[in-house]
Amino acid sequence: TPDAVFLAERSGAGWREATYKEARDRARAIAGGLLSLGLGVGTPIVILSGNSVDHGLLSLAAQYIGAPVVPVAEQYALIPTARTQIDHVCSIIKPAAVFAEDGDALADVLAREAFSGVRKLVSRGGAGDVHTLSQLAAAGGDISDVEARIGPDTIAKILMTSGSTSSPKGVPTTHRMMCVNQTQIAYSLPFLATHPPLILDWLPWNHVFGGSHNFNMMLANGGALYVDGGKPTPQLV
């Protein structure tokens, strides 16, 4: 179902929607651009921004070439007093690239010493040596050789623990782990095979529930994930 919606987010009064064909083509093109920057297996990409279509496409692009994505809690970048957590994450992850949706809004975060010498990726904005996802997609390139070497035990993402009891720790997630998870879900919820799910979801992608369980459940069953930009608080619901 190439024309079915896979990912969507609010855009003005409507929605920005990416179909399965658009998502696949765009992710593969971005993957080629990432390769041109020297990224690939063993080169982590820290993601500072919250859920979005571009966040999802970058994650898939990275998975095509074996670059682990490391989505961190959105508040680490948005709350100045929490930014030391970013420094801690970088000290143990040693990222090769960092992504911020809005390069202008998070310019001071991208300028931190933790990201010195690290490739800067943005959707828009940003100063200095930054690379937009559109530029990466335009650069493109053949990814087939690298893609062929990605296997079940290749690390797809590194999820950080919450840090509620100590400093955050990195938990590697392989392609095999994500696929086994979806097989378990398919056995438990067989209706997904005949009724592709459509969800409106706010759960953050730096956690397993939103970023692996829900995101991949749409991908595995031809469903659609509409990003809810709100939060479950009285002010933001």
Side-chain angles (χ1 to χ4, degrees):
T1 55
D3 297 324
V5 173
F6 169 37
L7 293 173
E9 64 187 0
R10 294 294 292 184
S11 178
W15 293 87
R16 174 194 174 189
E17 297 176 330
T19 66
Y20 273 88
K21 182 181 186 305
E22 291 168 343
R24 179 184 185 276
D25 292 348
R26 181 76 168 177
R28 292 183 69 86
I30 293 171
L34 295 176
L35 280 180
S36 72
L37 295 181
L39 301 175
V41 175
T43 60
I45 302 173
V46 168
I47 298 179
L48 299 175
S49 301
N51 305 0
S52 71
V53 171
D54 280 352
H55 180 156
L57 296 180
L58 175 61
S59 296
L60 294 172
Q63 288 178 27
Y64 269 124
I65 60 171
V69 292
V70 189
V72 299
E74 189 178 13
Q75 59 266 28
Y76 287 179
L78 298 179
I79 302 175
T81 55
R83 290 174 182 170
T84 54
Q85 293 284 42
I86 294 176
D87 300 334
H88 169 74
V89 169
C90 291
S91 71
I92 58 177
I93 295 298
K94 305 294 191 296
V98 57
F99 170 73
E101 185 108 8
D102 189 332
D104 290 335
L106 295 183
D108 53 342
V109 180
L110 295 176
R112 293 182 75 83
E113 180 63 26
F115 296 124
S116 176
V118 170
R119 300 285 193 181
K120 312 296 194 307
L121 315 177
V122 300
S123 291
R124 59 188 180 276
D129 188 18
V130 299
H131 307 271
T132 68
L133 297 191
S134 293
Q135 290 170 336
L136 294 178
D142 185 12
I143 67 171
S144 55
D145 287 346
V146 175
E147 180 188 4
R149 296 196 295 271
I150 306 306
D153 296 317
T154 303
I155 296 175
K157 62 173 70 174
I158 301 172
L159 295 177
M160 306 305 298
T161 60
S162 65
S164 56
T165 56
S166 64
S167 297
K169 305 170 187 66
V171 182
T173 302
T174 66
H175 285 263
R176 185 194 307 273
M177 292 162 66
M178 294 195 299
C179 290
V180 167
N181 182 222
Q182 291 307 314
T183 301
Q184 293 168 327
I185 293 171
Y187 274 108
S188 302
L189 305 174
F191 67 85
L192 293 173
T194 54
H195 295 80
L198 186 156
I199 60 174
L200 176 67
D201 191 28
W202 67 271
L203 290 169
W205 292 349
N206 61 292
H207 287 172
V208 173
F209 196 168
S212 293
H213 182 288
N214 287 0
F215 185 96
N216 289 339
M217 186 166 64
M218 302 306 106
L219 186 59
N221 296 283
L225 192 159
Y226 282 74
V227 174
D228 180 351
K231 296 289 186 293
T233 69
Q235 297 79 20
L236 300 174
V237 68

